[in-house]
Amino acid sequence: MHALKLSTAPIMKKKTMPTTTPIPSPPLTPPTPQLISKIPKSLLKPTSTPITKWAPLNLSKSELSLPLTFPTGQTFRWKQTGPLQYTGAVGPHLVSLKHLTNGDVSYCLHRTSSPSSEAEALVALRDFLNVGICLSDVWEVFSASDSRFAELAGHLGGARVLRQDPLECLMQFLCSSNNNIQRITKMVNFISSLGNYLGTIEGFEFHEFPSLERLSTVAEQELREAGFGYRAKYITGTVKALQSKHGGGVEWLLSLRKVDLDEAIDALLTLPGVGPKVAACIALFSLDQHHAIPVDTHVWQIATRHLLPELAGARLTPKLCSRVAEAFVNKYGKYAGWAQTLLFIAELPSQKAILPSHFSNAKGKKSVKRKIVETNTTSENVINDIEEG
DNA sequence: CGGTAACCTGGGAT
DNA sequence: AATCCCAGGTTAC
C-alpha cells in the first residue's frame, strides 16, 4: 500500500500508439517502380507538394481551443496531425485546423477541386464550428452565477461545442455506450472507412462519413467481426429505423433541430441503442439543443459534489439522471449543455493534470464507491430521503 | 414504474 | 497466470 508509486499524477494513458493504426500497411503494390527504388528517399521530391495553403478563420483561442474541443469526446473522427493541429472531414471536405503562435486558428482545405467548392467548404466549416455562437458571451453568463465555473473558464478557455452532422454524431455515440475511448475510436474508424476516401494526412486516412444508404449495406455480422460486440445490432437497427422514416432518415434527424428538446429526445429514444445519455449527446452536439445535458458518471460526480450534494452516495438511476439535467438547466440556463461541456472536460485526467490542485478536490478513487458510512449518524436518513423523493 | 442482471471487448489492476 | 473490473449505457426481465 505504501510502496512509493509516484505515478500518482498525470499520465493515465500510456502509449496511445495503436489507437487507430494510421496506415493500414500498404499491402503489395510498391508505389514506385524499381528504377527509382535505389534513390534515397530524401532525394525524392513529391511531384505534387501537399497543399499547405493556410488562411485565418478569425477565431481566437478563447473562442476555439482545438485541444479542448476535438480530443475531448465530442467527436472521434478528428485526428491530431501536429502539435496544435487537428484534421478531419467536414462533409466532403478534408480540413486541417491549427493554432498560430498568437493562438488564432487558421485552416487549410486539402484537395480543393474548384474555387467555388472552396467557398462552400468554408461555409460548411464555420457552420461545423458553430461560430454563430459567441463562446465568451455564453460563458460570461455562467461565470456570473458560478464562481467555480469562472475560475475553470480561466484555465480552459475555448472549449467549444461543435455542430456536427446528426447522422455522423448518432453513429459515433451508438458506439460509445459502455465503452472506452480507444475502442470507440477504432469502431468509428471502421464505419468511416466505408465512406468516400478523402486523403491521408500524417499517416491517417480520412473518409467522408458514409451515407445512410451505404450504412444499410453493412450486416450485423460484419460489424461483430469488426469488434462492435452487441453494439453491432444497435447500428443496423438504427439504420433500418431511419430508413423507414417517411421523407428520409437524414431529413427526419435534421427536423429535430427545430423542435423542443423533450420532443427531440423522445424521438431519438425510439432508436435502438439510444438511451438518455446517447440521446443527450446527439441533441447537444448536432441538433442545436443547447441545454441538453448528457449525464454520465463524470457529470454525476460533478453534480453530487457541486450541484446536488444531498444526492452524494446515491446511485445513478434514470430518474436521478433527469434530476441532474434539470439542476444544470436551472443553474446555467438555456446554454446549460455548454456549461456541462466545460465542467466535463475539467474532469478528464488529462486536464486535471494541468489544473491547479484545488480542483482535484481530494478523494482519489478510493472512497468513491463507499456510501457515506462512518462519521455521520444521520447519513442513513439522508439516503432514505433520497430514495423516497 | 423502479431496481438488476446481461451484454461484446480489451487493457489494466489484483 | 487467472480473474476481476471498468469504460462517457442500453435493454430486457
Side-chain angles (χ1 to χ4, degrees):
Chain A
M1 244 325 187
H2 50 297
L4 59 119
K5 41 171 68 177
L6 11 119
S7 61
T8 57
I11 313 118
M12 298 213 75
K13 34 179 74 173
K14 324 199 138 170
K15 299 291 159 66
T16 69
M17 241 301 292
T19 53
T20 65
T21 55
I23 305 174
S25 68
L28 339 151
T29 69
T32 53
Q34 293 184 336
L35 263 183
I36 55 175
S37 64
K38 294 176 183 172
I39 303 175
K41 280 188 179 176
S42 57
L43 294 182
L44 284 176
K45 285 271 175 124
T47 55
S48 62
T49 53
I51 302 171
T52 50
K53 197 179 69 176
W54 294 85
L57 253 184
N58 192 27
L59 282 176
S60 66
K61 196 170 75 173
S62 60
E63 276 300 307
L64 173 59
S65 163
L66 301 175
L68 292 178
T69 300
F70 286 94
T72 49
Q74 287 188 60
T75 173
F76 302 91
R77 270 167 54 75
W78 282 63
K79 314 297 180 193
Q80 183 164 9
T81 52
L84 285 171
Q85 178 177 320
Y86 297 82
T87 302
V90 178
H93 313 287
L94 182 54
V95 182
S96 289
L97 301 171
K98 73 175 177 186
H99 284 295
L100 305 177
T101 46
N102 68 3
D104 287 355
V105 179
S106 67
Y107 74 98
C108 162
L109 301 178
H110 304 272
R111 287 169 42 105
T112 57
S113 51
S114 68
S116 66
S117 81
E118 185 166 341
E120 72 186 41
L122 180 55
V123 171
L125 174 60
R126 295 178 63 83
D127 182 74
F128 172 73
L129 295 176
N130 230 347
V131 297
I133 293 170
C134 175
L135 190 61
S136 54
D137 284 355
V138 171
W139 280 16
E140 200 168 323
V141 177
F142 303 155
S143 296
S145 64
D146 182 355
S147 62
R148 184 184 128 84
F149 184 98
E151 191 178 359
L152 282 172
H155 295 281
L156 302 174
R160 169 169 287 274
V161 173
L162 297 169
R163 186 172 193 259
Q164 300 184 60
D165 175 79
L167 178 63
E168 190 172 325
C169 191
L170 166 57
M171 292 298 146
Q172 292 189 76
F173 282 95
L174 275 181
C175 297
S176 76
S177 74
N178 193 25
N179 207 349
N180 58 70
I181 305 289
Q182 182 176 328
R183 197 153 76 104
I184 296 168
T185 303
K186 187 176 136 196
M187 292 159 66
V188 169
N189 285 344
F190 179 86
I191 293 179
S192 299
S193 71
L194 302 172
N196 296 328
Y197 173 74
L198 295 178
T200 299
I201 310 289
E202 291 297 315
F204 295 99
E205 275 191 14
F206 293 92
H207 297 256
E208 186 175 357
F209 198 79
S211 67
L212 190 56
E213 184 177 15
R214 176 72 181 94
L215 290 171
S216 70
T217 66
V218 183
E220 177 184 338
Q221 185 58 25
E222 295 177 66
L223 293 172
R224 282 194 173 265
E225 288 167 2
F228 280 64
Y230 58 81
R231 300 166 200 82
K233 63 179 180 299
Y234 293 166
I235 302 284
T236 57
T238 285
V239 166
K240 184 168 291 187
L242 287 175
Q243 284 197 306
S244 76
K245 303 293 181 188
H246 294 311
V250 169
E251 290 73 14
W252 181 81
L253 282 172
L254 284 171
S255 74
L256 301 180
R257 283 179 167 171
K258 304 188 197 80
V259 304
D260 287 342
L261 174 60
D262 290 339
E263 189 177 339
I265 295 288
D266 287 344
L268 292 170
L269 289 178
T270 65
L271 301 171
V274 177
K277 159 66 168 50
V278 169
C281 285
I282 299 163
L284 176 61
F285 298 142
S286 76
L287 297 178
D288 299 331
Q289 302 289 350
H290 304 302
H291 58 290
I293 308 293
V295 180
D296 55 37
T297 53
H298 284 296
V299 174
W300 176 245
Q301 296 299 321
I302 296 167
T304 55
R305 279 204 304 264
H306 307 289
L307 222 49
L308 299 167
E310 67 272 22
L311 296 186
R315 287 182 53 90
L316 182 48
T317 62
K319 179 180 266 185
L320 290 182
C321 190
S322 57
R323 193 157 154 201
V324 168
E326 189 182 319
F328 266 86
V329 175
N330 282 339
K331 183 166 186 63
Y332 297 105
K334 67 175 181 177
Y335 285 93
W338 288 57
Q340 177 272 348
T341 295
L342 173 67
L343 298 174
F344 171 80
I345 290 172
E347 293 294 311
L348 297 176
S350 57
Q351 300 307 324
K352 282 198 166 181
I354 299 170
L355 291 169
S357 56
H358 65 274
F359 284 116
S360 298
N361 212 6
K363 313 186 173 80
K365 325 205 143 179
K366 288 193 192 168
S367 57
V368 165
K369 281 234 160 157
R370 323 162 45 94
K371 288 192 166 189
I372 317 162
V373 186
E374 50 208 32
T375 63
N376 211 325
T377 56
T378 60
S379 56
E380 291 219 345
N381 295 333
V382 172
I383 297 287
N384 287 336
D385 285 350
I386 292 168
E387 289 177 346
E388 292 185 59

